[in-house]
Amino acid sequence: MTAKIIDGKAFAATIREKVAGHVARLKEEHGITPGLAVVLVGEDPASQVYVRSKGKQTVEVGMNSFEHKLDADTSEADLLALIDKLNNDDSVHGILVQLPLPKHLDEDLVINSISPEKDVDGFHISNVGLLGTGQKSMVPCTPLGSLMMLRDHHGSLSGMNAVVIGRSNIVGKPMAQLLLGDSCTVTIAHSRTKDLAEVVRRADIVVAAVGRPEMVPGDWIKEGATVIDVGINRIERDGKNVLVGDVDFASAKEVAGAITPVPGGVGPMTIACLLANTVTACCRSNELSEPEGLTA
């Protein structure tokens, strides 16, 4: 069997189209334009590219984009003062501080200084707690995008056996919570898991988010399983730099029922879900109905 390729790029385009429609209605019916503020500290090349892409896509769906670029030696006090200003700015509905931050800045302190209602990354400790207890929260973008693709492919996920490989606060843990919320039976596996291959072979759904290039070979995958590969790893192959996931795509696609490629799978969904979260935050702050199909 050859797996169906889950096209994240195409799916992300449909999400952006939905977002643009909701933004247009908010403007027309309520005179409100959702606004996303992105804060970049320093000149990390990958972060700069990512922030530019976010800004471009924010404007394309009709939202206001506010970019704040700070020097790498910006003090913690100055960064916190900017966040406080954005927290109190009614034209800003979503705030994202691009990670990683320079080492002299406390990432946890900075993230938790963002108003939970404007925390469109879903990293604030309040949102983590709300998600973990099944309450309404802002959901981290990458797990949200992964869940959307799984729902689109399967419809109901109820009763399915899911294995999440990786226990990070950014992907692994929130992904597990979302799958539990959709009534999956969930195992979080990691580098210390005994008989990891056997654990993965039992899964109807495999979400790989461990950050190790092609760690999961095809013979770990149960026939017909759905594989969501969150990994983005740059390696050298045949004298060229290439991007690969945490799953060995070539062997996995021969046994899986469906699989996301790298690149072009989960990656494009992350920014699309950031835009979706900003619209959701805008609707909640104005006590309006939440947009359908854009939240967990």
Side-chain angles (χ1 to χ4, degrees):
M1 101 185 285
T2 300
K4 174 189 175 183
I5 306 302
I6 299 175
D7 188 341
K9 192 174 180 181
F11 196 90
T14 67
I15 297 298
R16 291 195 302 273
E17 198 173 303
K18 288 181 182 179
V19 169
H22 285 296
V23 170
R25 282 189 288 276
L26 284 168
K27 290 179 178 179
E28 183 180 343
E29 297 173 11
H30 304 283
I32 301 168
T33 301
L36 172 64
V38 177
V39 180
L40 174 64
V41 185
E43 298 180 352
D44 178 77
S47 293
Q48 287 182 320
V49 170
Y50 199 41
V51 166
R52 275 199 302 272
S53 182
K54 287 172 181 173
K56 180 173 179 284
Q57 292 188 37
T58 301
V59 172
E60 285 175 349
V61 297
M63 297 197 294
N64 289 329
S65 175
F66 308 103
E67 290 188 14
H68 298 268
K69 297 181 179 179
L70 308 179
D71 293 336
D73 60 357
T74 296
S75 71
E76 198 162 78
D78 286 347
L79 176 55
L80 294 176
L82 172 59
I83 293 171
D84 185 60
K85 181 181 176 183
L86 296 174
N87 282 339
N88 291 289
D89 185 341
D90 290 339
S91 68
V92 174
H93 302 95
I95 302 170
L96 181 147
V97 177
Q98 183 65 42
L99 303 178
L101 290 172
K103 291 183 178 179
H104 70 283
L105 300 173
D106 183 334
E107 287 190 356
D108 289 337
L109 176 65
V110 170
I111 289 167
N112 290 319
S113 71
I114 299 170
S115 170
E117 295 79 15
K118 296 188 179 187
D119 167 39
V120 285
D121 250 345
F123 296 162
H124 191 288
I125 190 64
S126 294
N127 283 318
V128 173
L130 290 167
L131 178 61
T133 52
Q135 299 180 68
K136 185 186 292 185
S137 68
M138 298 307 302
V139 179
C141 302
T142 300
L144 178 58
S146 300
L147 181 72
M148 286 180 176
M149 289 191 290
L150 285 166
R151 285 174 172 172
D152 181 70
H153 179 67
H154 286 286
S156 172
L157 306 181
S158 180
M160 298 184 77
N161 189 0
V163 170
V164 179
I165 310 173
R167 50 181 166 175
S168 73
N169 293 328
I170 293 173
V171 180
K173 291 176 184 176
M175 188 75 244
Q177 296 292 350
L178 290 172
L179 290 166
L180 281 171
D182 269 30
S183 298
C184 290
T185 300
V186 182
T187 300
I188 301 180
H190 45 78
S191 60
R192 301 291 181 88
T193 299
K194 292 183 179 179
D195 299 322
L196 179 58
E198 286 304 314
V199 172
V200 176
R201 285 189 189 107
R202 293 195 293 268
D204 304 307
I205 295 169
V206 178
V207 180
V210 73
R212 291 176 59 185
E214 300 177 330
M215 187 192 89
V216 181
D219 65 5
W220 287 17
I221 305 299
K222 175 176 152 182
E223 187 171 344
T226 301
V227 179
I228 304 293
D229 192 349
V230 180
I232 301 178
N233 309 285
R234 191 174 297 277
I235 65 169
E236 186 173 316
R237 177 170 288 158
D238 300 327
K240 298 178 182 177
N241 282 324
V242 295
L243 288 177
V244 299
D246 291 348
V247 176
D248 178 25
F249 183 80
S251 60
K253 71 182 176 65
E254 298 303 320
V255 290
I259 188 170
T260 58
V262 177
V266 175
M269 288 295 293
T270 299
I271 296 181
C273 288
L274 174 67
L275 304 178
N277 276 351
T278 303
V279 173
T280 298
C282 177
C283 290
R284 288 177 182 174
S285 69
N286 287 281
E287 299 183 342
L288 299 171
S289 298
E290 292 184 20
E292 290 185 16
L294 296 183
T295 59

